Amino acid sequence: MAIPRWGQGAALVMGVCLAIVSAGAAPAAPAESAPADFYAVPTPLPAGAPGDVLKSESYPPALAVPDQVGPWPSGAQRIMYRSTDAHGEAVAVTGTYFDASVPWTEGGPRPLVVLAPGTQGQGDQCAPSKLFAEVVHYTPPLDFSVEYETIQAYALLSRGMDVVVTDYEGLGTPGVHSYGDRRAQGYAVLDAARAVTRLPGSRIGDDNPIGLWGYSQGGGATASAAELQDSYAPELNIRGTYAGGVPADLRAEAVTLDGGLGIGFLGYAVNAIYAGYPETRGEIDGATSPYGREVLDDIATQCATETIARYGLHRSSEWTRDGRSIAELIDALPNVRAVVDEQRIGRLTPRSPVLIAQGRNDDLVPYAQARTLADDWCRLGATVEFSIQELPPIAPGLAVGHVLPAGTVLPYALDWMTDRFNGVPAPSTCNV
């Protein structure tokens, strides 16, 4: 009896998880590390257009699964491509392109999925294009990271979809990672798709269908890309966007993250605002205590696991001069308030269908703001399915309520994306 598509996806996820656990439990051959000079950005950037490939190199991913014809996936390429920052200036962004070694058995040409990763951290060592070569990264005492996006990337590859994973601006490359910046992240996603179509020897061309895929930070990035596509990359043949655990409202995030394991992620956002919007620096400097500045500088060099270990369950009021929280300070600092308000997703209309998946009891990304995003897009005339992951509150504040829905929705999201590539009419909950 044939295994249904959702069953294949679930089996793959379990297999990859077991492979990761096994890799960590036994000695392994040293992985090929990413050469430092690959991440050196040409100065000045050569003339060109967003999505142009600046450099590329092939490498074997650390986690490969043998099949009848060889390793799966067959290989990977690091790419550096031209993109655009939040202010319209050209920047270089890196990423990883995987070409699926299994056939695309559905209708039409092979599709490409742009995977926008969830929170990796803010240190350059956390870039997915580096971690795919290691799977597990560790430098004593606490610089530890596992490339968990291997699970989603390989799930998509198992369907015969090619996958490109962006590192975003400033992750791996010089500068501060633009964590949570709506435009910078959305542009990096869209330009990753363009880059694959322009990569020498690529089998993905201008007419191949494209999907956008992301959870958590990645959900925010793909949601932003979906609504920016019409003005920024209208030529892309995007068939659908999966945006899970979407942080669509940074103001709401500032309240929810405070005091939980993910409080340091709020620090990533503060660092991104400070670096990317010079008009906010005087306000942030005036509100931040010496200890707070030490914390912000520290986490700017860390991966997410270390940030959680060092600063989880603390409060942002510990970082400020007068004991107010970052959420309280947003409204008290006019330039910061303007930048935070600019980050809200939901004011533009996605031109292709969107699946939003959100845990009812998500303890990192609040449910209400994801519901608002879906309602906003519905009012603008978009085709939106809002999938509620009904899980009970488990250890609130410890991120369990955020992590588990990524797994429960995965089989359905794979089928949803496959249907978009097959031309099946997209479901909508807008009138429900």
Side-chain angles (χ1 to χ4, degrees):
M1 183 176 67
I3 301 174
R5 289 190 303 184
W6 63 265
Q8 294 170 355
L12 173 76
V13 170
M14 288 188 289
V16 172
C17 289
L18 288 172
I20 291 173
V21 171
S22 298
E32 176 185 322
S33 60
D37 58 357
F38 181 83
Y39 296 87
V41 174
T43 305
L45 283 180
D52 284 354
V53 178
L54 300 174
K55 62 176 86 171
S56 66
E57 64 176 16
S58 298
Y59 74 97
L63 183 62
V65 180
D67 62 16
Q68 294 91 335
V69 297
W72 171 82
S74 58
Q77 290 189 70
R78 291 187 189 94
I79 58 174
M80 178 182 286
Y81 60 93
R82 189 182 180 97
S83 191
T84 307
D85 71 10
H87 306 290
E89 299 296 323
V91 293
V93 174
T94 50
T96 305
Y97 170 52
F98 296 96
D99 53 354
S101 55
V102 299
W104 170 249
T105 58
E106 307 288 339
R110 187 186 297 268
L112 170 72
V113 175
V114 184
L115 195 164
T119 299
Q120 308 286 302
Q122 206 156 35
D124 284 340
Q125 75 275 21
C126 320
S129 64
K130 296 182 178 182
L131 292 177
F132 282 127
E134 299 179 273
V135 180
V136 177
H137 165 83
Y138 178 62
T139 302
L142 291 175
D143 181 16
F144 173 78
S145 188
V146 175
E147 189 41 76
Y148 58 84
E149 292 297 1
T150 301
I151 296 173
Q152 296 199 94
Y154 282 32
L156 293 161
L157 290 166
S158 76
R159 295 288 181 98
M161 305 172 190
D162 281 4
V163 175
V164 60
V165 185
T166 180
D167 290 339
Y168 304 122
E169 177 190 346
L171 198 56
T173 49
V176 176
H177 169 40
S178 56
Y179 186 85
D181 191 294
R182 176 179 66 88
R183 286 174 294 183
Q185 293 187 160
Y187 296 154
V189 167
L190 295 168
D191 287 328
R194 284 169 160 162
V196 172
T197 68
R198 300 173 194 174
L199 191 65
S202 172
R203 62 187 178 186
I204 302 295
D206 293 338
D207 295 331
N208 289 67
I210 296 169
L212 309 180
W213 181 288
Y215 189 87
S216 194
Q217 180 189 1
T222 57
S224 177
E227 65 174 29
L228 288 170
Q229 187 216 345
D230 200 37
S231 61
Y232 185 74
E235 81 283 2
L236 292 178
N237 182 19
I238 294 177
R239 300 288 184 83
T241 298
Y242 160 57
V246 184
D249 186 341
L250 183 55
R251 187 183 294 270
E253 281 290 299
V255 175
T256 301
L257 290 174
D258 220 335
L261 278 184
I263 175 59
F265 301 171
L266 185 55
Y268 296 158
V270 173
N271 284 338
I273 291 172
Y274 189 91
Y277 299 85
E279 68 272 22
T280 67
R281 293 174 189 171
E283 293 178 347
I284 294 173
D285 285 339
T288 307
S289 67
Y291 172 70
R293 172 45 56 194
E294 180 183 320
V295 170
L296 292 171
D297 289 345
D298 194 26
I299 66 174
T301 67
Q302 295 173 355
C303 295
T305 305
E306 181 173 4
T307 301
I308 289 170
R310 291 188 183 276
Y311 300 109
L313 304 179
H314 285 257
R315 294 199 165 273
S316 64
S317 56
E318 300 171 25
W319 307 345
T320 64
R321 293 184 185 274
D322 61 7
R324 282 183 290 178
S325 68
I326 287 178
E328 292 171 319
L329 284 170
I330 287 173
D331 285 324
L333 306 176
N335 290 322
V336 171
R337 180 176 67 243
V339 172
V340 169
D341 288 344
E342 164 61 26
Q343 303 314 315
R344 189 170 72 81
I345 304 169
R347 297 186 176 110
L348 303 171
T349 310
R351 62 191 289 184
S352 58
V354 181
L355 169 65
I356 299 175
Q358 182 66 38
R360 175 84 72 179
N361 293 296
D362 192 320
D363 52 351
L364 282 186
V365 178
Y367 170 87
Q369 53 92 53
R371 175 76 262 183
T372 297
L373 172 63
D375 292 342
D376 287 343
W377 275 346
C378 286
R379 280 193 292 270
L380 290 170
T383 300
V384 182
E385 179 178 3
F386 187 66
S387 175
I388 304 171
Q389 302 301 294
E390 298 284 8
L391 297 170
I394 302 172
L398 299 184
V400 178
H402 180 67
V403 173
L404 285 182
T408 60
V409 76
L410 178 58
Y412 178 71
L414 286 167
D415 286 347
W416 185 93
M417 188 64 74
T418 303
D419 284 344
R420 303 293 75 74
F421 293 142
N422 284 331
V424 178
S428 173
T429 56
C430 284
N431 297 318
V432 175

